Amino acid sequence: MSVITSFSSHRRTDVLVLTPWLAPIVWNDTYNLAVLNAQFHQRNVCVGITIFATKKRKMKGNSRIYTVFVPTFIETGEKYFMVGHKVNYYVFTDRVSDIPIMEMAEGRQMRVLRVPTYQRWQDVSMRRMEMLRDYSHQRFRGEVDYLVCVDVDMRFSDEVGVEILSDLFGTLHPGMYGAKREHYTYERNPQSEAYIPFDEGDFYYAGGYFGGNIEEIYKLTNFCHDAMMADKDKNIEAVWHDESYLNKYFLYHKPTKVLSPEYLWYNGFGTPAFLRRKRFLAVWKNHQEIRN
Ligand code: UDP
Ligand code: MN
């Protein structure tokens, strides 16, 4: 089979497939997975995927906790995430005993990492940057080639493979797809480290899905954590927390690949024509119940 011939059916004209800095935007029908799989198998690549499932210590009543999302995440991951490749799932939690032992395919494993949690859900979300930075430095470097850093309140519902992997990648936020730049919910306070002026910004990236090689993730998370701490000293917290700082980072450190909303979707947004696959879906949760 000629790659070039088969590639003629792999093209899209209805969506943007390349950024102005020539990074691919990954959509269904823009790549050949068999070709990519062969490349990544040749390199014997191991992929780490990180999720956080913690809850503030003082809980009211019997409110649900984020660890409830872990089994579905892993089960669907085993079905769809990097099938045929080596994968380490890193589960960061303050409730190690709540994480069940789960069966994995060969070459794949789950690692449970005990971490502290925070009172406010905003802090839980933001402190992921600090923990990812520290673990990238101390541990991930020696264990995996790439990291995929995502929210836990999610399930895989179609293939997510090596086509996403690159030195540094971000994901288009499904809620902002097609919006005008001035409507992007970047941080607009010039005093904040996350500030982006109205006439800047390429895309609005989702806080709940980024990745890259360990060095790049170290740099990204280090920047975001330092910026959040600098703001904290000024009594500032960016409008969308870690997501705002991530968007600031990507503005000046452009991702080498961008994932389309196929890779992060909410069923509440329906099924627009450009969306040929829904690969990773938000699981419904009662925000009041689970966060407060
Ligand atoms: N998270 C957590 N415990 C909390 C709050 C948040 O573990 O008490 C983690 C969890 O991985 C979650 C992520 O932080 O997926 C982001 O929070 P959330 O998903 O609630 O934000 P949303 O997607 O609703 O904006
Ligand atoms: Mn989420």
Side-chain angles (χ1 to χ4, degrees):
M1 177 186 76
S2 152
V3 170
I4 302 302
T5 316
S6 69
F7 200 75
S8 60
S9 62
H10 291 81
R11 58 166 45 171
R12 294 285 292 261
T13 52
D14 59 328
V15 288
L16 190 68
V17 297
L18 208 56
T19 68
W21 56 95
L22 301 178
I25 305 177
V26 187
W27 296 90
N28 192 50
D29 296 327
T30 61
Y31 61 88
N32 183 320
L33 187 59
V35 174
L36 289 167
N37 271 335
Q39 284 186 325
F40 281 83
H41 278 306
Q42 199 169 41
R43 290 167 52 198
N44 197 23
V45 156
C46 183
V47 183
I49 180 162
T50 63
I51 48 176
F52 288 76
T54 76
K55 187 57 190 174
K56 60 186 180 186
R57 283 175 205 99
K58 277 186 208 136
M59 282 198 309
K60 279 190 229 139
N62 59 352
S63 56
R64 300 200 316 156
I65 47 173
Y66 278 77
T67 51
V68 299
F69 296 112
V70 173
T72 303
F73 186 99
I74 307 264
E75 267 162 37
T76 58
E78 281 303 275
K79 203 162 161 202
Y80 294 118
F81 182 71
M82 301 288 162
V83 173
H85 294 273
K86 291 197 287 181
V87 169
N88 288 1
Y89 295 89
Y90 294 106
V91 184
F92 292 76
T93 186
D94 60 331
R95 300 167 163 256
V96 172
S97 58
D98 281 6
I99 309 295
I101 293 167
M102 298 186 62
E103 216 166 298
M104 312 262 142
E106 206 191 316
R108 302 165 69 101
Q109 51 196 339
M110 183 160 107
R111 293 283 177 254
V112 181
L113 309 171
R114 187 191 299 275
V115 290
T117 189
Y118 294 86
Q119 277 292 331
R120 298 169 60 244
W121 64 265
Q122 295 92 335
D123 286 321
V124 175
S125 188
M126 289 194 292
R127 289 284 175 164
R128 291 184 290 178
M129 292 295 186
E130 181 183 28
M131 297 185 223
L132 288 171
R133 177 196 68 182
D134 293 347
Y135 275 85
S136 292
H137 189 62
Q138 296 155 10
R139 175 162 181 172
F140 297 149
R141 226 181 265 288
E143 295 187 357
V144 291
D145 302 295
Y146 292 96
L147 278 180
V148 180
C149 308
V150 291
D151 271 14
V152 73
D153 53 339
M154 304 292 301
R155 66 184 164 89
F156 292 92
S157 50
D158 203 343
E159 285 174 336
V160 174
V162 295
E163 76 279 2
I164 70 169
L165 299 178
S166 193
D167 288 345
L168 180 66
F169 62 88
T171 305
L172 301 180
H173 193 298
M176 287 284 153
Y177 185 76
K180 287 207 179 94
R181 172 158 76 180
E182 55 269 34
H183 295 149
Y184 289 168
T185 53
Y186 295 144
E187 174 56 56
R188 303 301 190 181
N189 172 3
Q191 304 306 314
S192 170
E193 302 287 328
Y195 171 63
I196 298 178
F198 282 97
D199 59 352
E200 286 188 58
D202 307 299
F203 299 107
Y204 190 84
Y205 301 96
Y209 202 143
F210 61 88
N213 68 40
I214 312 305
E215 194 53 38
E216 290 298 334
I217 294 304
Y218 176 81
K219 286 193 266 182
L220 179 157
T221 52
N222 190 42
F223 167 89
C224 291
H225 179 64
D226 283 353
M228 288 187 285
M229 290 301 106
D231 272 3
K232 196 174 153 74
D233 285 344
K234 292 183 272 183
N235 255 319
I236 294 173
E237 186 172 273
V239 56
W240 286 108
H241 322 109
D242 39 307
E243 183 168 88
S244 305
Y245 299 91
L246 179 74
N247 273 279
K248 180 68 178 266
Y249 186 78
F250 278 151
L251 175 54
Y252 300 113
H253 307 82
K254 310 273 194 224
T256 54
K257 253 185 200 176
V258 175
L259 309 187
S260 73
E262 292 173 10
Y263 291 89
L264 181 57
W265 194 252
Y266 301 85
N267 265 338
F269 294 156
T271 312
F274 64 76
L275 199 74
R276 298 189 183 169
R277 299 176 91 162
K278 296 180 187 176
R279 303 171 191 263
F280 192 51
L281 290 170
V283 176
W284 184 86
K285 67 182 185 297
N286 181 332
H287 280 85
Q288 278 310 96
E289 204 176 77
I290 203 154
R291 277 178 172 165
N292 300 318

PDB file of all heavy atoms in Angstrom, residues 41-71:
ATOM      1  N   HIS A  41       6.096   2.643  17.482  1.00  0.00           N
ATOM      2  CA  HIS A  41       6.542   1.317  17.936  1.00  0.00           C
ATOM      3  C   HIS A  41       8.047   1.162  17.732  1.00  0.00           C
ATOM      4  O   HIS A  41       8.746   0.599  18.574  1.00  0.00           O
ATOM      5  CB  HIS A  41       5.785   0.215  17.194  1.00  0.00           C
ATOM      6  CG  HIS A  41       4.433  -0.058  17.781  1.00  0.00           C
ATOM      7  ND1 HIS A  41       4.247  -0.353  19.121  1.00  0.00           N
ATOM      8  CD2 HIS A  41       3.201  -0.091  17.221  1.00  0.00           C
ATOM      9  CE1 HIS A  41       2.949  -0.540  19.364  1.00  0.00           C
ATOM     10  NE2 HIS A  41       2.284  -0.377  18.222  1.00  0.00           N
ATOM     11  N   GLN A  42       8.523   1.686  16.629  1.00  0.00           N
ATOM     12  CA  GLN A  42       9.953   1.616  16.332  1.00  0.00           C
ATOM     13  C   GLN A  42      10.754   2.284  17.451  1.00  0.00           C
ATOM     14  O   GLN A  42      11.825   1.831  17.811  1.00  0.00           O
ATOM     15  CB  GLN A  42      10.183   2.345  15.012  1.00  0.00           C
ATOM     16  CG  GLN A  42      11.468   2.022  14.299  1.00  0.00           C
ATOM     17  CD  GLN A  42      11.447   2.595  12.889  1.00  0.00           C
ATOM     18  OE1 GLN A  42      10.982   3.720  12.662  1.00  0.00           O
ATOM     19  NE2 GLN A  42      11.932   1.834  11.940  1.00  0.00           N
ATOM     20  N   ARG A  43      10.195   3.354  18.002  1.00  0.00           N
ATOM     21  CA  ARG A  43      10.872   4.070  19.094  1.00  0.00           C
ATOM     22  C   ARG A  43      10.546   3.478  20.456  1.00  0.00           C
ATOM     23  O   ARG A  43      11.052   3.954  21.477  1.00  0.00           O
ATOM     24  CB  ARG A  43      10.457   5.548  19.075  1.00  0.00           C
ATOM     25  CG  ARG A  43      11.007   6.313  17.890  1.00  0.00           C
ATOM     26  CD  ARG A  43      10.319   7.673  17.748  1.00  0.00           C
ATOM     27  NE  ARG A  43      10.342   8.443  18.992  1.00  0.00           N
ATOM     28  CZ  ARG A  43       9.536   9.474  19.251  1.00  0.00           C
ATOM     29  NH1 ARG A  43       8.646   9.863  18.356  1.00  0.00           N
ATOM     30  NH2 ARG A  43       9.631  10.114  20.390  1.00  0.00           N
ATOM     31  N   ASN A  44       9.667   2.472  20.499  1.00  0.00           N
ATOM     32  CA  ASN A  44       9.283   1.814  21.755  1.00  0.00           C
ATOM     33  C   ASN A  44       8.824   2.834  22.803  1.00  0.00           C
ATOM     34  O   ASN A  44       9.259   2.816  23.955  1.00  0.00           O
ATOM     35  CB  ASN A  44      10.464   0.993  22.285  1.00  0.00           C
ATOM     36  CG  ASN A  44      10.015  -0.010  23.326  1.00  0.00           C
ATOM     37  OD1 ASN A  44       8.845  -0.394  23.358  1.00  0.00           O
ATOM     38  ND2 ASN A  44      10.935  -0.420  24.185  1.00  0.00           N
ATOM     39  N   VAL A  45       7.944   3.696  22.379  1.00  0.00           N
ATOM     40  CA  VAL A  45       7.535   4.830  23.209  1.00  0.00           C
ATOM     41  C   VAL A  45       6.640   4.394  24.379  1.00  0.00           C
ATOM     42  O   VAL A  45       5.820   3.494  24.242  1.00  0.00           O
ATOM     43  CB  VAL A  45       6.810   5.862  22.310  1.00  0.00           C
ATOM     44  CG1 VAL A  45       5.879   6.743  23.100  1.00  0.00           C
ATOM     45  CG2 VAL A  45       7.835   6.697  21.562  1.00  0.00           C
ATOM     46  N   CYS A  46       6.844   5.012  25.536  1.00  0.00           N
ATOM     47  CA  CYS A  46       5.965   4.798  26.687  1.00  0.00           C
ATOM     48  C   CYS A  46       5.277   6.128  27.020  1.00  0.00           C
ATOM     49  O   CYS A  46       5.916   7.171  27.109  1.00  0.00           O
ATOM     50  CB  CYS A  46       6.759   4.308  27.891  1.00  0.00           C
ATOM     51  SG  CYS A  46       5.705   3.935  29.308  1.00  0.00           S
ATOM     52  N   VAL A  47       3.965   6.076  27.181  1.00  0.00           N
ATOM     53  CA  VAL A  47       3.169   7.286  27.387  1.00  0.00           C
ATOM     54  C   VAL A  47       2.619   7.313  28.814  1.00  0.00           C
ATOM     55  O   VAL A  47       2.002   6.344  29.263  1.00  0.00           O
ATOM     56  CB  VAL A  47       1.990   7.336  26.385  1.00  0.00           C
ATOM     57  CG1 VAL A  47       1.197   8.622  26.551  1.00  0.00           C
ATOM     58  CG2 VAL A  47       2.494   7.196  24.954  1.00  0.00           C
ATOM     59  N   GLY A  48       2.834   8.409  29.503  1.00  0.00           N
ATOM     60  CA  GLY A  48       2.245   8.592  30.829  1.00  0.00           C
ATOM     61  C   GLY A  48       0.988   9.436  30.711  1.00  0.00           C
ATOM     62  O   GLY A  48       0.972  10.418  29.963  1.00  0.00           O
ATOM     63  N   ILE A  49      -0.053   9.046  31.410  1.00  0.00           N
ATOM     64  CA  ILE A  49      -1.261   9.885  31.442  1.00  0.00           C
ATOM     65  C   ILE A  49      -1.566  10.186  32.904  1.00  0.00           C
ATOM     66  O   ILE A  49      -1.601   9.285  33.738  1.00  0.00           O
ATOM     67  CB  ILE A  49      -2.447   9.246  30.678  1.00  0.00           C
ATOM     68  CG1 ILE A  49      -3.676  10.163  30.746  1.00  0.00           C
ATOM     69  CG2 ILE A  49      -2.756   7.823  31.139  1.00  0.00           C
ATOM     70  CD1 ILE A  49      -4.736   9.852  29.696  1.00  0.00           C
ATOM     71  N   THR A  50      -1.714  11.476  33.212  1.00  0.00           N
ATOM     72  CA  THR A  50      -1.882  11.877  34.615  1.00  0.00           C
ATOM     73  C   THR A  50      -3.323  12.324  34.879  1.00  0.00           C
ATOM     74  O   THR A  50      -3.911  13.054  34.086  1.00  0.00           O
ATOM     75  CB  THR A  50      -0.948  13.054  34.973  1.00  0.00           C
ATOM     76  OG1 THR A  50      -1.308  14.204  34.187  1.00  0.00           O
ATOM     77  CG2 THR A  50       0.504  12.706  34.709  1.00  0.00           C
ATOM     78  N   ILE A  51      -3.857  11.854  36.007  1.00  0.00           N
ATOM     79  CA  ILE A  51      -5.156  12.343  36.479  1.00  0.00           C
ATOM     80  C   ILE A  51      -5.072  12.624  37.978  1.00  0.00           C
ATOM     81  O   ILE A  51      -4.287  12.000  38.689  1.00  0.00           O
ATOM     82  CB  ILE A  51      -6.311  11.348  36.206  1.00  0.00           C
ATOM     83  CG1 ILE A  51      -5.949   9.923  36.634  1.00  0.00           C
ATOM     84  CG2 ILE A  51      -6.737  11.390  34.749  1.00  0.00           C
ATOM     85  CD1 ILE A  51      -7.090   8.929  36.487  1.00  0.00           C
ATOM     86  N   PHE A  52      -5.875  13.562  38.408  1.00  0.00           N
ATOM     87  CA  PHE A  52      -5.952  13.919  39.828  1.00  0.00           C
ATOM     88  C   PHE A  52      -7.343  13.603  40.342  1.00  0.00           C
ATOM     89  O   PHE A  52      -8.339  13.914  39.683  1.00  0.00           O
ATOM     90  CB  PHE A  52      -5.666  15.417  40.033  1.00  0.00           C
ATOM     91  CG  PHE A  52      -4.235  15.777  39.817  1.00  0.00           C
ATOM     92  CD1 PHE A  52      -3.721  15.861  38.535  1.00  0.00           C
ATOM     93  CD2 PHE A  52      -3.402  16.025  40.897  1.00  0.00           C
ATOM     94  CE1 PHE A  52      -2.379  16.172  38.319  1.00  0.00           C
ATOM     95  CE2 PHE A  52      -2.059  16.347  40.693  1.00  0.00           C
ATOM     96  CZ  PHE A  52      -1.553  16.419  39.411  1.00  0.00           C
ATOM     97  N   ALA A  53      -7.398  12.988  41.499  1.00  0.00           N
ATOM     98  CA  ALA A  53      -8.687  12.683  42.123  1.00  0.00           C
ATOM     99  C   ALA A  53      -8.537  12.886  43.622  1.00  0.00           C
ATOM    100  O   ALA A  53      -8.199  11.966  44.361  1.00  0.00           O
ATOM    101  CB  ALA A  53      -9.110  11.257  41.802  1.00  0.00           C
ATOM    102  N   THR A  54      -8.751  14.113  44.052  1.00  0.00           N
ATOM    103  CA  THR A  54      -8.618  14.412  45.481  1.00  0.00           C
ATOM    104  C   THR A  54      -9.870  15.156  45.947  1.00  0.00           C
ATOM    105  O   THR A  54     -10.672  15.626  45.147  1.00  0.00           O
ATOM    106  CB  THR A  54      -7.402  15.318  45.768  1.00  0.00           C
ATOM    107  OG1 THR A  54      -7.720  16.665  45.391  1.00  0.00           O
ATOM    108  CG2 THR A  54      -6.175  14.851  45.035  1.00  0.00           C
ATOM    109  N   LYS A  55      -9.996  15.256  47.223  1.00  0.00           N
ATOM    110  CA  LYS A  55     -11.085  16.053  47.770  1.00  0.00           C
ATOM    111  C   LYS A  55     -10.606  16.750  49.017  1.00  0.00           C
ATOM    112  O   LYS A  55      -9.815  16.211  49.774  1.00  0.00           O
ATOM    113  CB  LYS A  55     -12.290  15.161  48.080  1.00  0.00           C
ATOM    114  CG  LYS A  55     -13.530  15.919  48.499  1.00  0.00           C
ATOM    115  CD  LYS A  55     -13.959  16.942  47.446  1.00  0.00           C
ATOM    116  CE  LYS A  55     -15.048  17.847  48.019  1.00  0.00           C
ATOM    117  NZ  LYS A  55     -15.381  18.936  47.094  1.00  0.00           N
ATOM    118  N   LYS A  56     -11.085  17.969  49.190  1.00  0.00           N
ATOM    119  CA  LYS A  56     -10.755  18.703  50.407  1.00  0.00           C
ATOM    120  C   LYS A  56     -11.127  17.853  51.618  1.00  0.00           C
ATOM    121  O   LYS A  56     -12.038  17.036  51.564  1.00  0.00           O
ATOM    122  CB  LYS A  56     -11.490  20.027  50.423  1.00  0.00           C
ATOM    123  CG  LYS A  56     -12.997  19.898  50.390  1.00  0.00           C
ATOM    124  CD  LYS A  56     -13.638  21.253  50.255  1.00  0.00           C
ATOM    125  CE  LYS A  56     -15.145  21.138  50.209  1.00  0.00           C
ATOM    126  NZ  LYS A  56     -15.773  22.416  49.940  1.00  0.00           N
ATOM    127  N   ARG A  57     -10.446  18.085  52.692  1.00  0.00           N
ATOM    128  CA  ARG A  57     -10.597  17.196  53.842  1.00  0.00           C
ATOM    129  C   ARG A  57     -11.970  17.278  54.492  1.00  0.00           C
ATOM    130  O   ARG A  57     -12.585  16.285  54.802  1.00  0.00           O
ATOM    131  CB  ARG A  57      -9.508  17.462  54.866  1.00  0.00           C
ATOM    132  CG  ARG A  57      -8.205  16.853  54.423  1.00  0.00           C
ATOM    133  CD  ARG A  57      -7.080  17.188  55.351  1.00  0.00           C
ATOM    134  NE  ARG A  57      -5.822  17.102  54.625  1.00  0.00           N
ATOM    135  CZ  ARG A  57      -5.182  18.148  54.123  1.00  0.00           C
ATOM    136  NH1 ARG A  57      -5.650  19.357  54.294  1.00  0.00           N
ATOM    137  NH2 ARG A  57      -4.070  17.988  53.469  1.00  0.00           N
ATOM    138  N   LYS A  58     -12.441  18.485  54.706  1.00  0.00           N
ATOM    139  CA  LYS A  58     -13.741  18.618  55.375  1.00  0.00           C
ATOM    140  C   LYS A  58     -14.859  18.497  54.354  1.00  0.00           C
ATOM    141  O   LYS A  58     -15.037  19.362  53.512  1.00  0.00           O
ATOM    142  CB  LYS A  58     -13.831  19.985  56.068  1.00  0.00           C
ATOM    143  CG  LYS A  58     -13.175  19.988  57.422  1.00  0.00           C
ATOM    144  CD  LYS A  58     -13.416  21.316  58.140  1.00  0.00           C
ATOM    145  CE  LYS A  58     -12.273  21.595  59.092  1.00  0.00           C
ATOM    146  NZ  LYS A  58     -11.789  22.960  59.054  1.00  0.00           N
ATOM    147  N   MET A  59     -15.591  17.409  54.428  1.00  0.00           N
ATOM    148  CA  MET A  59     -16.686  17.225  53.490  1.00  0.00           C
ATOM    149  C   MET A  59     -18.012  17.301  54.219  1.00  0.00           C
ATOM    150  O   MET A  59     -18.167  16.771  55.299  1.00  0.00           O
ATOM    151  CB  MET A  59     -16.574  15.866  52.831  1.00  0.00           C
ATOM    152  CG  MET A  59     -15.538  15.817  51.747  1.00  0.00           C
ATOM    153  SD  MET A  59     -15.847  14.412  50.719  1.00  0.00           S
ATOM    154  CE  MET A  59     -15.972  13.132  51.944  1.00  0.00           C
ATOM    155  N   LYS A  60     -18.950  17.956  53.569  1.00  0.00           N
ATOM    156  CA  LYS A  60     -20.295  18.044  54.133  1.00  0.00           C
ATOM    157  C   LYS A  60     -21.064  16.796  53.745  1.00  0.00           C
ATOM    158  O   LYS A  60     -21.043  16.390  52.593  1.00  0.00           O
ATOM    159  CB  LYS A  60     -21.027  19.253  53.564  1.00  0.00           C
ATOM    160  CG  LYS A  60     -20.675  20.551  54.240  1.00  0.00           C
ATOM    161  CD  LYS A  60     -21.644  21.637  53.764  1.00  0.00           C
ATOM    162  CE  LYS A  60     -20.868  22.868  53.345  1.00  0.00           C
ATOM    163  NZ  LYS A  60     -21.371  23.499  52.156  1.00  0.00           N
ATOM    164  N   GLY A  61     -21.776  16.220  54.688  1.00  0.00           N
ATOM    165  CA  GLY A  61     -22.649  15.096  54.384  1.00  0.00           C
ATOM    166  C   GLY A  61     -21.934  13.996  53.625  1.00  0.00           C
ATOM    167  O   GLY A  61     -20.793  13.673  53.914  1.00  0.00           O
ATOM    168  N   ASN A  62     -22.601  13.431  52.638  1.00  0.00           N
ATOM    169  CA  ASN A  62     -21.980  12.344  51.879  1.00  0.00           C
ATOM    170  C   ASN A  62     -21.707  12.789  50.441  1.00  0.00           C
ATOM    171  O   ASN A  62     -21.961  12.069  49.503  1.00  0.00           O
ATOM    172  CB  ASN A  62     -22.853  11.093  51.899  1.00  0.00           C
ATOM    173  CG  ASN A  62     -24.229  11.371  51.319  1.00  0.00           C
ATOM    174  OD1 ASN A  62     -24.557  12.531  51.050  1.00  0.00           O
ATOM    175  ND2 ASN A  62     -25.008  10.338  51.110  1.00  0.00           N
ATOM    176  N   SER A  63     -21.217  14.020  50.285  1.00  0.00           N
ATOM    177  CA  SER A  63     -20.968  14.530  48.937  1.00  0.00           C
ATOM    178  C   SER A  63     -20.002  13.613  48.192  1.00  0.00           C
ATOM    179  O   SER A  63     -19.125  13.008  48.781  1.00  0.00           O
ATOM    180  CB  SER A  63     -20.411  15.943  49.001  1.00  0.00           C
ATOM    181  OG  SER A  63     -19.261  15.967  49.799  1.00  0.00           O
ATOM    182  N   ARG A  64     -20.203  13.552  46.865  1.00  0.00           N
ATOM    183  CA  ARG A  64     -19.380  12.649  46.073  1.00  0.00           C
ATOM    184  C   ARG A  64     -17.949  13.187  45.976  1.00  0.00           C
ATOM    185  O   ARG A  64     -17.696  14.350  46.192  1.00  0.00           O
ATOM    186  CB  ARG A  64     -19.970  12.492  44.676  1.00  0.00           C
ATOM    187  CG  ARG A  64     -21.374  11.924  44.741  1.00  0.00           C
ATOM    188  CD  ARG A  64     -21.815  11.311  43.468  1.00  0.00           C
ATOM    189  NE  ARG A  64     -21.472  12.111  42.299  1.00  0.00           N
ATOM    190  CZ  ARG A  64     -21.346  11.586  41.091  1.00  0.00           C
ATOM    191  NH1 ARG A  64     -21.491  10.305  40.914  1.00  0.00           N
ATOM    192  NH2 ARG A  64     -21.060  12.349  40.061  1.00  0.00           N
ATOM    193  N   ILE A  65     -17.061  12.312  45.665  1.00  0.00           N
ATOM    194  CA  ILE A  65     -15.656  12.704  45.604  1.00  0.00           C
ATOM    195  C   ILE A  65     -15.077  12.314  44.256  1.00  0.00           C
ATOM    196  O   ILE A  65     -15.594  11.435  43.581  1.00  0.00           O
ATOM    197  CB  ILE A  65     -14.868  12.022  46.739  1.00  0.00           C
ATOM    198  CG1 ILE A  65     -15.223  10.536  46.791  1.00  0.00           C
ATOM    199  CG2 ILE A  65     -15.137  12.700  48.051  1.00  0.00           C
ATOM    200  CD1 ILE A  65     -14.380   9.766  47.743  1.00  0.00           C
ATOM    201  N   TYR A  66     -13.992  12.974  43.872  1.00  0.00           N
ATOM    202  CA  TYR A  66     -13.470  12.799  42.517  1.00  0.00           C
ATOM    203  C   TYR A  66     -12.936  11.392  42.238  1.00  0.00           C
ATOM    204  O   TYR A  66     -12.791  11.019  41.084  1.00  0.00           O
ATOM    205  CB  TYR A  66     -12.400  13.855  42.237  1.00  0.00           C
ATOM    206  CG  TYR A  66     -13.003  15.174  41.819  1.00  0.00           C
ATOM    207  CD1 TYR A  66     -13.568  16.031  42.759  1.00  0.00           C
ATOM    208  CD2 TYR A  66     -13.048  15.549  40.480  1.00  0.00           C
ATOM    209  CE1 TYR A  66     -14.140  17.230  42.386  1.00  0.00           C
ATOM    210  CE2 TYR A  66     -13.613  16.758  40.092  1.00  0.00           C
ATOM    211  CZ  TYR A  66     -14.161  17.583  41.053  1.00  0.00           C
ATOM    212  OH  TYR A  66     -14.732  18.767  40.661  1.00  0.00           O
ATOM    213  N   THR A  67     -12.638  10.624  43.281  1.00  0.00           N
ATOM    214  CA  THR A  67     -12.155   9.266  43.026  1.00  0.00           C
ATOM    215  C   THR A  67     -13.211   8.408  42.320  1.00  0.00           C
ATOM    216  O   THR A  67     -12.864   7.421  41.696  1.00  0.00           O
ATOM    217  CB  THR A  67     -11.717   8.555  44.332  1.00  0.00           C
ATOM    218  OG1 THR A  67     -12.771   8.677  45.285  1.00  0.00           O
ATOM    219  CG2 THR A  67     -10.447   9.158  44.894  1.00  0.00           C
ATOM    220  N   VAL A  68     -14.481   8.806  42.385  1.00  0.00           N
ATOM    221  CA  VAL A  68     -15.523   8.005  41.720  1.00  0.00           C
ATOM    222  C   VAL A  68     -15.319   7.966  40.198  1.00  0.00           C
ATOM    223  O   VAL A  68     -15.814   7.062  39.538  1.00  0.00           O
ATOM    224  CB  VAL A  68     -16.968   8.501  41.993  1.00  0.00           C
ATOM    225  CG1 VAL A  68     -17.297   8.451  43.466  1.00  0.00           C
ATOM    226  CG2 VAL A  68     -17.209   9.881  41.425  1.00  0.00           C
ATOM    227  N   PHE A  69     -14.591   8.933  39.670  1.00  0.00           N
ATOM    228  CA  PHE A  69     -14.403   8.978  38.221  1.00  0.00           C
ATOM    229  C   PHE A  69     -13.304   8.029  37.722  1.00  0.00           C
ATOM    230  O   PHE A  69     -13.208   7.760  36.530  1.00  0.00           O
ATOM    231  CB  PHE A  69     -14.041  10.403  37.780  1.00  0.00           C
ATOM    232  CG  PHE A  69     -15.124  11.410  38.023  1.00  0.00           C
ATOM    233  CD1 PHE A  69     -14.972  12.416  38.969  1.00  0.00           C
ATOM    234  CD2 PHE A  69     -16.312  11.355  37.298  1.00  0.00           C
ATOM    235  CE1 PHE A  69     -15.972  13.353  39.184  1.00  0.00           C
ATOM    236  CE2 PHE A  69     -17.314  12.294  37.507  1.00  0.00           C
ATOM    237  CZ  PHE A  69     -17.144  13.290  38.462  1.00  0.00           C
ATOM    238  N   VAL A  70     -12.474   7.561  38.647  1.00  0.00           N
ATOM    239  CA  VAL A  70     -11.268   6.833  38.226  1.00  0.00           C
ATOM    240  C   VAL A  70     -11.573   5.516  37.486  1.00  0.00           C
ATOM    241  O   VAL A  70     -11.019   5.283  36.406  1.00  0.00           O
ATOM    242  CB  VAL A  70     -10.309   6.613  39.419  1.00  0.00           C
ATOM    243  CG1 VAL A  70      -9.140   5.715  39.035  1.00  0.00           C
ATOM    244  CG2 VAL A  70      -9.799   7.966  39.927  1.00  0.00           C
ATOM    245  N   PRO A  71     -12.451   4.644  38.015  1.00  0.00           N
ATOM    246  CA  PRO A  71     -12.659   3.356  37.313  1.00  0.00           C
ATOM    247  C   PRO A  71     -13.124   3.511  35.866  1.00  0.00           C
ATOM    248  O   PRO A  71     -12.574   2.861  34.971  1.00  0.00           O
ATOM    249  CB  PRO A  71     -13.716   2.654  38.177  1.00  0.00           C
ATOM    250  CG  PRO A  71     -13.535   3.243  39.533  1.00  0.00           C
ATOM    251  CD  PRO A  71     -13.170   4.677  39.305  1.00  0.00           C
TER     252      PRO A  71
END
